[in-house]
Amino acid sequence: MSTTYKLDTSTSRANPTPKPMKRLTVPRIRARKQDGETKEPLVMLTAYTARQAQLLDTHCDLLLVGDSLGQVIYGLPSTIPVTLEMMANHGAAVVRGSYHSVVVIDMPFGSYEASKEQAFESAAHLLKETGAAAVKLEGGEAMAETVAFLNARGIPVMGHVGLTPQAVNVLGGYAARGRSDAEADKIVSDAKALDDAGVFAMVIEGVVEPIAITVTKAVSAPTIGIGASAQCDGQVLVTEDMLGMFERVPRFVKRYEGIASVIDKTVATYASEVRDRSFPGEDQTYQPKD
């Protein structure tokens, strides 16, 4: 019997609750791909808060605490300004709010590129502070040695190839990658290098579909597509994008709901009731006892 934290939705407080540990593990995620085939695709979504994690957890295999929180939560122009402490704080909240999914945390820009040792220090800090199972880092062949170094020291790593948002200044924007033969070959070789280095899974982002399919067939680790192909071994989206929280989203996003309009309508009703003094009513106020 292990102790985890279950969010008490009636009070919005996290209370320690003894529960048998049933969380998925990194080896089980890796084992979903057998002999080059994943019969049941992996489901991954981003999560940044405890309550969001609780709502997503039952339906997902993995929850990604993405550095996209820079834009989604903090209103930053890119992921570049995101700090290690931002990731640690949100990662801890997601772990507290989840029970089933493997929680993976993005390593932010500048926290792992300088050396293998820097990467280990940053990754160890994130896992110790949050209780997450793994980290994710961007880059291909250039990061393969770092991936192997982390693996050898007990830190599972998810890779990320194709469109890598942390390299937006080098790439010159967020356009799809792999349109030229040279770029396509580089994406495939990057993926193979990460696979050889021991990633347990890898994200393929923003590439032309044939490249995503080629990579998926070429590597033993499960691939998780975002703007890639349904033939990947799994899929991930930014939760706020697929829920319709933003007007402008990448082409590859499918809006499954229009939550922003629901919020707008609900808040407009609240504001109207406050202004006409119909809220709070008798049910929301304390009356003298007889």
Side-chain angles (χ1 to χ4, degrees), residues 116-270:
K116 305 185 301 292
E117 291 76 17
Q118 182 206 26
F120 177 80
E121 183 177 354
S122 298
H125 175 75
L126 286 176
L127 298 192
K128 289 170 70 173
E129 290 296 314
T130 67
V135 297
K136 182 171 77 66
L137 54 78
E138 296 182 8
E141 291 179 285
M143 299 310 304
E145 187 178 353
T146 295
V147 170
F149 187 86
L150 295 180
N151 266 329
R153 286 154 181 79
I155 298 178
V157 181
M158 177 179 284
H160 187 148
V161 298
L163 173 58
T164 48
Q166 291 178 10
V168 63
N169 290 326
V170 172
L171 297 176
Y174 296 97
R177 319 308 301 180
R179 295 195 181 279
S180 70
D181 290 343
E183 192 172 52
D185 290 343
K186 179 67 165 59
I187 292 169
V188 175
S189 63
D190 280 342
K192 288 180 178 179
L194 291 178
D195 195 41
D196 291 342
V199 294
F200 74 93
M202 71 179 74
V203 169
I204 307 176
E205 179 172 359
V207 302
V208 294
E209 186 171 29
I211 303 306
I213 295 172
T214 297
V215 168
T216 298
K217 292 179 178 179
V219 300
S220 60
T223 61
I224 300 175
I226 177 168
S229 173
Q231 298 306 308
C232 291
D233 300 302
Q235 300 295 323
V236 63
L237 284 175
V238 172
T239 300
E240 284 76 2
D241 287 346
M242 58 90 74
L243 290 178
M245 286 291 287
F246 298 105
E247 293 179 4
R248 186 168 179 263
V249 294
R251 173 183 171 178
F252 54 74
V253 172
K254 178 178 178 179
R255 281 195 179 96
Y256 286 82
E257 190 51 85
I259 297 299
S261 62
V262 174
I263 293 173
D264 181 71
K265 181 179 178 180
T266 304
V267 174
T269 301
Y270 164 74

Side-chain angles (χ1 to χ4, degrees), residues 52 56 64-65 75 90 112 134 180 206 240 254 260 264 268 277 284:
Q52 185 183 41
L56 303 178
L64 173 65
V65 187
H90 288 275
Y112 61 93
S180 70
E240 284 76 2
K254 178 178 178 179
D264 181 71
R277 297 188 185 277
Q284 294 88 38

